[in-house]
Each structure stands twice: as C-alpha cells, then as structure tokens.
C-alpha cells in the first residue's frame, strides 16, 4: 500500500483499511494546523489506487470498512469519488462503509444530488473539522467558511442520509471566551443530526500562524479551569440525539467518552471531579507534549 508522509486517521478508524486517494489537504491554511504544510495537495492516480486495492484484496479480502486518506479526501469531485467507490466494491465486495476526512468547503462544492449519489455508493461517516460554531473563531482560524455555511452543509448531509462526526476545538476562542464558544458550537450542532463529536483543546506547533500568535500574546490560551468550564457548558447545552462524545484525545484536560444525552450527567460529574482534583492548579496554563497532549499537574 502506498502512503506518502505521515498518514493521519481518527482513532476510531484504527481497524479500517487505509487507502490513500489524495495527498496533503486541499485547504492547507488553517491557522493552527501544520499537518500537511510540506505536502502539496494532489490526487492519487487511479492505477495506483487499483494496485493498492489489489494488494488489500490479498491480505484483507473480507474488509468491511475503508477510510480514505489523506487530509480531506472528500475534496475529490463526486464523479471521482464514485469511481473510487466502485473500484473498492469491485476488489473488496464486503465493504459496507467508505469513510474519510471532509471539510465544510468540500461539502459546499457538491450538489444535493451528488451527496445522495455518494451515499448510495457507500460513502458514510465523514469526519469533519468543524472546530467551532462561532464566526469570529472560524475567521481567526482561517477555516474558509462561516457558521451558516457549516450549518447548511451539515443539514445537507442529513438530507442525503449521510452520517458524520465533527471535531470541536475547546479554547479556540481564547481565554475568557469559552462560554461564548461553547454556546455557539452547541447551538449550531443542535440543529443537525451529528452522530459523533470529537473534542480536543487548541494547540499549535511551530510553523503555523497561531503558534506565533500564542508566543506574541496576540492569542491568549485558556487555563485548565477555563477548559473544564467550556466543556461543561458545551455538554450542558448540547441537545443532540444518540451522539457519541469522544473526548479521549490527550489534549483534553479530562478524558470523556459517552453518549448524549444518556451519559451527560456521568460526564458532567467527571468534569467536576477533575476540577476538584486540580484544585489550586485550575488557573495554570497547560503544559503540553506531542500533538498537544496535556501534562496535568500532580
Ligand atoms: S485542519 Fe484540516 S482543513 Fe485545516 S489545514 Fe489542517 S488538514 Fe487542512
């Protein structure tokens, strides 16, 4: 199988067959992201995809789930995606789900009819970097869309019968703005049929604009208590159905995993316990390691 550079996938796709259909990210300019800075966006040639599927057929002939990589494979036009889906079903007839990363911009570029055709081709479980429902955050993070476009795009996926999860960045609005960020994000998601919410906290590595803003003080990061308050507010405000809250990324202050609304109270209790544990450290900024993981004070 061919993979170029670092291949990223969501943690819950660990058992899926990873099939490279693009390289890099078609946007590649979010203010906090360095994932594909040195990888120009390009489409993998169909003959290479066929070679990879041929190989996959040998070692995973009964595969049921494929995750298309890299950064935003949904950037491919609908015709190309349907062609790739046909190839997957041809080589691996047991495949039921073809998932991938997608951006709101990718959805905006497709018609309702195309979204329905893609769903019929087995494409489902898109993983979307929504990040926030607050316009000022989306602008500052250079996401390339506004909240109303995000809302409409997610609702169009609902209309096409396509499942999707979204990534949400706690602290993306900076210190003191967590409540506003949580309210806007919950308000947007409450109007959608989102089935998974992946949470992490804002962090930036050298090489992106947000890193410079954090160093210069132009962007002030929340403290540990601020992150907990924002996540509490988000959980309290979310009115979604049968939606997995996946908060196990190491950049979170507290590890959470549960369904909304069923596990809301349990998760709120975990936040409260984390607050008690951190006690006098709540007003400290996080110390981090790779991928933004937080080293909690003892
Ligand atoms: S966050 Fe996602 S959309 Fe933004 S540059 Fe990184 S990979 Fe691309």
């Amino acid at each position: 199988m061919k993979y170029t550079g670092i291949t990223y996938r969501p943690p819950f796709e660990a058992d899926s067959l990873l099939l490279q259909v693009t390289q890099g990210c078609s946007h590649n300019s979010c203010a906090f992201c360095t994932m594909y800075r040195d990888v120009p966006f390009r489409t993998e040639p169909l003959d290479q995809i066929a070679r990879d599927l041929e190989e996959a057929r040998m070692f995973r002939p009964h595969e049921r789930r494929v995750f298309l990589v890299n950064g935003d494979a949904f950037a491919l036009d609908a015709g190309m995606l349907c062609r790739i889906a046909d190839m997957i079903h041809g080589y691996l007839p047991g495949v039921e789900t073809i998932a991938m990363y997608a951006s709101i911009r990718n959805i905006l570029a497709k018609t309702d009819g195309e979204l329905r055709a893609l769903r019929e081709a087995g494409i489902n479980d898109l993983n979307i970097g929504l990040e926030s429902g607050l316009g000022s955050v989306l602008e500052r993070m250079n996401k390339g869309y506004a909240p109303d476009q995000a809302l409409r795009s997610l609702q169009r996926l609902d209309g096409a019968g396509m499942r999707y999860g979204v990534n949400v960045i706690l602290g993306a609005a900076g210190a003191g703005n967590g409540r506003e960020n949580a309210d806007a994000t919950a308000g947007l998601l409450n109007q959608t049929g989102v089935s998974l919410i992946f949470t992490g906290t804002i962090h930036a590595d050298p090489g992106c604009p947000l890193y410079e803003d954090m160093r210069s003080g132009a962007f002030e990061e929340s403290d540990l208590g601020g992150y907990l308050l924002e996540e509490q507010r988000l959980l309290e405000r979310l009115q979604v159905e049968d939606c997995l809250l996946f908060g196990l990324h190491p950049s979170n202050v507290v590890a959470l995993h549960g369904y909304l609304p069923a596990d809301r109270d349990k998760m709120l209790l975990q936040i409260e316990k984390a607050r008690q544990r951190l006690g006098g450290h709540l007003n400290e900024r996080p110390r981090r390691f790779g991928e933004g993981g937080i080293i909690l004070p003892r």
Side-chain angles (χ1 to χ4, degrees):
M1 304 287 291
K2 178 187 173 190
Y3 301 109
T4 308
I6 300 174
T7 294
Y8 296 91
R9 56 136 179 90
F12 32 84
E13 299 286 357
D15 296 330
S16 306
L17 174 75
L18 304 182
L19 177 68
Q20 178 168 297
V21 299
T22 56
Q23 296 177 23
C25 160
S26 70
H27 184 51
N28 208 15
S29 48
C30 293
F32 56 86
C33 179
T34 49
M35 287 161 74
Y36 302 100
R37 285 283 146 141
D38 303 325
V39 187
F41 180 77
R42 61 179 291 240
T43 304
E44 204 60 55
L46 283 174
D47 58 349
Q48 177 61 47
I49 295 171
R51 277 196 293 278
D52 284 351
L53 285 169
E54 180 78 55
E55 195 181 331
R57 178 164 61 182
M58 286 191 280
F59 66 91
R60 293 173 76 154
H62 306 298
E63 186 61 63
R64 293 171 61 183
R65 188 177 177 96
V66 175
F67 187 79
L68 302 183
V69 292
N70 249 307
D72 63 341
F74 207 60
L76 295 178
D77 67 46
M80 180 70 167
L81 282 169
C82 283
R83 225 168 138 191
I84 292 170
D86 281 348
M87 288 167 67
I88 292 171
H89 295 307
Y91 282 95
L92 301 167
V95 167
E96 295 164 355
T97 303
I98 302 169
M100 70 198 84
Y101 285 123
S103 76
I104 296 296
R105 294 166 61 256
N106 302 157
I107 303 164
L108 286 169
K110 293 179 176 59
T111 67
D112 288 347
E114 287 173 337
L115 292 177
R116 278 196 301 275
L118 291 166
R119 177 66 193 92
E120 278 164 25
I123 290 171
N124 210 2
D125 289 339
L126 298 183
N127 188 279
I128 302 164
L130 171 69
E131 328 303 9
S132 169
L134 200 57
S136 55
V137 169
L138 297 178
E139 204 171 313
R140 176 165 205 156
M141 298 302 160
N142 199 29
K143 290 299 297 180
Y145 54 82
D148 59 328
Q149 292 175 302
L151 173 60
R152 181 79 193 108
S153 297
L154 299 182
Q155 289 175 333
R156 289 178 58 229
L157 293 182
D158 292 332
M162 213 180 273
R163 275 193 312 261
Y164 53 88
V166 300
N167 299 339
V168 163
I169 304 181
L170 302 168
N177 302 315
R179 184 186 172 107
E180 194 189 355
N181 195 36
D183 287 358
T185 303
L188 190 156
L189 290 176
N190 288 347
Q191 301 173 67
T192 73
V194 64
S195 62
L196 186 151
I197 299 171
F198 181 104
T199 58
T201 61
I202 191 81
H203 68 275
D205 293 323
C208 66
L210 185 64
Y211 180 81
E212 297 307 325
D213 284 353
M214 283 174 145
R215 272 170 63 102
S216 70
F219 181 92
E220 193 191 345
E221 189 183 2
S222 292
D223 56 22
L224 295 168
Y227 282 121
L228 288 175
L229 271 178
E230 181 170 344
E231 192 155 29
Q232 175 187 341
R233 181 80 177 183
L234 181 69
L235 285 183
E236 286 170 348
R237 288 293 160 130
L238 279 169
Q239 298 295 332
V240 287
E241 287 303 316
D242 202 21
C243 177
L244 178 63
L245 192 294
F246 190 98
L248 300 180
H249 190 269
S251 69
N252 288 291
V253 179
V254 57
L256 298 180
H257 186 269
Y259 280 87
L260 290 168
D263 300 321
R264 186 194 320 271
D265 290 347
K266 184 189 83 181
M267 291 191 281
L268 287 172
L269 190 61
Q270 284 176 272
I271 293 175
E272 183 51 38
K273 283 183 176 167
R275 191 177 286 124
Q276 287 168 14
R277 253 191 331 270
L278 285 167
H281 298 288
L282 284 169
N283 59 0
E284 294 175 11
R285 309 254 179 256
R287 284 197 307 132
R288 297 187 186 263
F289 60 99
E291 282 194 49
I294 290 183
I295 305 165
L296 289 175
R298 291 171 187 272

